[in-house]
Amino acid sequence: DAKTTQPPSMDCAEGRAANLPCNHSTISGNEYVYWYRQIHSQGPQYIIHGLKNNETNEMASLIITEDRKSSTLILPHATLRDTAVYYCIFGRAGANNLFFGTGTRLTVIP
Amino acid sequence: GAGVSQSPSNKVTEKGKDVELRCDPISGHTALYWYRQSLGQGLEFLIYFQGNSAPDKSGLPSDRFSAERTGGSVSTLTIQRTQQEDSAVYLCASSFGGSGYTFGSGTRLTVV
């Protein structure tokens, strides 16, 4: 299984940036970094993915280190609705078995 | 459809009975995946379809579990002779090419 390392939990004040780290030291050259989140009682939701360049979309930014062994998901202005478990995963594009692990439980505090 | 649809959303069954869980992927998505998630746990991969074929069945936990996909669309996950340890949320996802997975809301299975 392609495993990543994430802190089990984090808190963030509402309105502040949430920076969620992930280590993926065994990633290979053709594997992407994907981030998903799972809000209680819902299926996981795709957030963003990247190969080596930093990426930004309407939900978040993804910063990947130059050696690609770690990345950070940034939620620029966290809201209470961002409270969820965030999963960092890596795999080839179209990979048939993304290993989700246990993720980081982010709690946004009012 | 607009998203991945799973049915039923909740299923309570007696131990030893068979159950069928259905997944309607996003139209045009060629890949379909089944995962399950026990309470408080991460996602456990079960099976993957590319079109109608399942090149990777490695995650099925026992021979009581089977899955099929017809017409490159709807998939059914069948659990025979259900056991209490089968209780979990069963999640289906679909994707196309290198896009991220789109998950359904899952089927919560409770075996009593």
Tab-separated table of all heavy atoms in Angstrom, chain A residues 1 5 7-8 17 24 29-30 32 48 54 56 59 66 68 70 76 91 105 108:
chain	number	residue	atom	x	y	z
A	1	ASP	N	0.838	-1.185	0.000
A	1	ASP	CA	0.000	0.000	0.000
A	1	ASP	C	0.883	1.249	0.000
A	1	ASP	O	1.882	1.284	0.681
A	1	ASP	CB	-0.891	0.028	1.226
A	1	ASP	CG	-1.940	-1.079	1.202
A	1	ASP	OD1	-2.328	-1.475	0.096
A	1	ASP	OD2	-2.324	-1.537	2.270
A	5	THR	N	2.031	9.883	5.654
A	5	THR	CA	2.032	10.170	7.079
A	5	THR	C	1.407	11.526	7.301
A	5	THR	O	1.875	12.519	6.721
A	5	THR	CB	3.464	10.148	7.648
A	5	THR	OG1	4.054	8.888	7.378
A	5	THR	CG2	3.431	10.365	9.151
A	7	PRO	N	-0.562	14.093	10.496
A	7	PRO	CA	-0.917	14.184	11.923
A	7	PRO	C	-2.362	13.733	12.105
A	7	PRO	O	-3.206	14.000	11.254
A	7	PRO	CB	-0.746	15.674	12.228
A	7	PRO	CG	-0.826	16.352	10.905
A	7	PRO	CD	-0.293	15.385	9.895
A	8	PRO	N	-2.654	13.062	13.207
A	8	PRO	CA	-4.016	12.553	13.379
A	8	PRO	C	-5.064	13.648	13.550
A	8	PRO	O	-6.207	13.469	13.158
A	8	PRO	CB	-3.920	11.682	14.637
A	8	PRO	CG	-2.689	12.117	15.326
A	8	PRO	CD	-1.760	12.607	14.287
A	17	ALA	N	-5.903	30.634	8.108
A	17	ALA	CA	-5.484	29.614	7.151
A	17	ALA	C	-5.220	28.292	7.872
A	17	ALA	O	-4.592	28.278	8.924
A	17	ALA	CB	-4.227	30.067	6.412
A	24	HIS	N	5.116	11.970	2.109
A	24	HIS	CA	4.959	10.859	1.158
A	24	HIS	C	6.325	10.561	0.567
A	24	HIS	O	6.546	10.723	-0.635
A	24	HIS	CB	3.920	11.173	0.077
A	24	HIS	CG	3.814	12.620	-0.303
A	24	HIS	ND1	4.690	13.247	-1.162
A	24	HIS	CD2	2.919	13.564	0.075
A	24	HIS	CE1	4.338	14.507	-1.309
A	24	HIS	NE2	3.266	14.723	-0.575
A	29	GLY	N	8.186	9.029	-9.462
A	29	GLY	CA	8.134	10.165	-10.370
A	29	GLY	C	6.814	10.374	-11.102
A	29	GLY	O	6.463	11.504	-11.438
A	30	ASN	N	6.078	9.300	-11.341
A	30	ASN	CA	4.845	9.437	-12.113
A	30	ASN	C	3.595	9.393	-11.235
A	30	ASN	O	2.486	9.216	-11.730
A	30	ASN	CB	4.772	8.345	-13.181
A	30	ASN	CG	4.724	6.954	-12.587
A	30	ASN	OD1	4.958	6.782	-11.392
A	30	ASN	ND2	4.418	5.964	-13.387
A	32	TYR	N	0.948	11.092	-8.583
A	32	TYR	CA	0.366	12.367	-8.186
A	32	TYR	C	0.070	12.364	-6.683
A	32	TYR	O	-0.165	11.313	-6.085
A	32	TYR	CB	-0.947	12.608	-8.932
A	32	TYR	CG	-0.781	12.968	-10.392
A	32	TYR	CD1	-0.424	12.007	-11.329
A	32	TYR	CD2	-1.006	14.265	-10.833
A	32	TYR	CE1	-0.289	12.336	-12.667
A	32	TYR	CE2	-0.880	14.606	-12.162
A	32	TYR	CZ	-0.517	13.639	-13.081
A	32	TYR	OH	-0.369	13.978	-14.388
A	48	ILE	N	-8.137	18.452	-4.492
A	48	ILE	CA	-7.112	18.958	-5.402
A	48	ILE	C	-6.075	17.877	-5.624
A	48	ILE	O	-5.974	16.930	-4.818
A	48	ILE	CB	-6.464	20.224	-4.783
A	48	ILE	CG1	-5.708	21.058	-5.823
A	48	ILE	CG2	-5.547	19.856	-3.608
A	48	ILE	CD1	-5.324	22.456	-5.319
A	54	ASN	N	3.009	23.621	-7.741
A	54	ASN	CA	1.958	24.013	-6.813
A	54	ASN	C	0.666	24.209	-7.595
A	54	ASN	O	0.680	24.627	-8.760
A	54	ASN	CB	2.361	25.294	-6.084
A	54	ASN	CG	3.607	25.090	-5.247
A	54	ASN	OD1	3.947	23.965	-4.869
A	54	ASN	ND2	4.316	26.169	-4.979
A	56	THR	N	-3.627	25.458	-7.363
A	56	THR	CA	-4.654	26.212	-6.632
A	56	THR	C	-5.967	26.050	-7.350
A	56	THR	O	-6.016	26.086	-8.588
A	56	THR	CB	-4.284	27.704	-6.542
A	56	THR	OG1	-3.103	27.845	-5.758
A	56	THR	CG2	-5.399	28.500	-5.870
A	59	MET	N	-11.134	25.686	-3.938
A	59	MET	CA	-11.240	25.137	-2.590
A	59	MET	C	-9.968	25.324	-1.779
A	59	MET	O	-10.027	25.577	-0.571
A	59	MET	CB	-11.546	23.636	-2.639
A	59	MET	CG	-12.939	23.310	-3.144
A	59	MET	SD	-13.231	21.529	-3.135
A	59	MET	CE	-13.244	21.188	-1.384
A	66	GLU	N	10.116	20.535	-3.422
A	66	GLU	CA	10.875	20.286	-4.648
A	66	GLU	C	11.244	18.811	-4.793
A	66	GLU	O	11.247	18.267	-5.899
A	66	GLU	CB	12.150	21.139	-4.650
A	66	GLU	CG	12.871	21.157	-5.994
A	66	GLU	CD	13.953	22.212	-6.055
A	66	GLU	OE1	13.958	23.127	-5.201
A	66	GLU	OE2	14.802	22.107	-6.957
A	68	ARG	N	9.478	16.445	-3.683
A	68	ARG	CA	8.175	15.781	-3.763
A	68	ARG	C	7.919	14.800	-2.629
A	68	ARG	O	6.974	14.024	-2.697
A	68	ARG	CB	7.988	15.072	-5.107
A	68	ARG	CG	8.129	15.968	-6.294
A	68	ARG	CD	7.326	15.567	-7.511
A	68	ARG	NE	7.328	14.141	-7.746
A	68	ARG	CZ	6.208	13.407	-7.794
A	68	ARG	NH1	5.032	13.957	-7.628
A	68	ARG	NH2	6.296	12.111	-8.021
A	70	SER	N	7.032	15.619	0.400
A	70	SER	CA	5.994	16.113	1.308
A	70	SER	C	5.181	17.196	0.615
A	70	SER	O	5.611	17.761	-0.407
A	70	SER	CB	6.608	16.648	2.606
A	70	SER	OG	7.411	17.774	2.350
A	76	PRO	N	-7.270	28.649	2.718
A	76	PRO	CA	-6.835	30.018	3.041
A	76	PRO	C	-7.642	30.703	4.133
A	76	PRO	O	-7.083	31.460	4.916
A	76	PRO	CB	-6.949	30.749	1.703
A	76	PRO	CG	-7.848	29.919	0.875
A	76	PRO	CD	-7.706	28.508	1.335
A	91	GLY	N	-0.630	8.356	-5.948
A	91	GLY	CA	-0.805	7.251	-6.882
A	91	GLY	C	-0.689	7.741	-8.318
A	91	GLY	O	-0.672	8.946	-8.577
A	105	ARG	N	-7.825	14.758	11.191
A	105	ARG	CA	-9.119	15.332	11.583
A	105	ARG	C	-8.912	16.803	11.901
A	105	ARG	O	-8.291	17.150	12.904
A	105	ARG	CB	-9.688	14.594	12.791
A	105	ARG	CG	-11.048	15.135	13.231
A	105	ARG	CD	-11.656	14.270	14.341
A	105	ARG	NE	-11.901	12.917	13.885
A	105	ARG	CZ	-12.959	12.539	13.179
A	105	ARG	NH1	-13.885	13.427	12.844
A	105	ARG	NH2	-13.118	11.281	12.811
A	108	VAL	N	-12.319	23.147	12.962
A	108	VAL	CA	-12.287	24.604	12.874
A	108	VAL	C	-13.069	25.156	14.050
A	108	VAL	O	-14.238	24.808	14.257
A	108	VAL	CB	-12.867	25.095	11.542
A	108	VAL	CG1	-12.812	26.623	11.475
A	108	VAL	CG2	-12.107	24.490	10.373
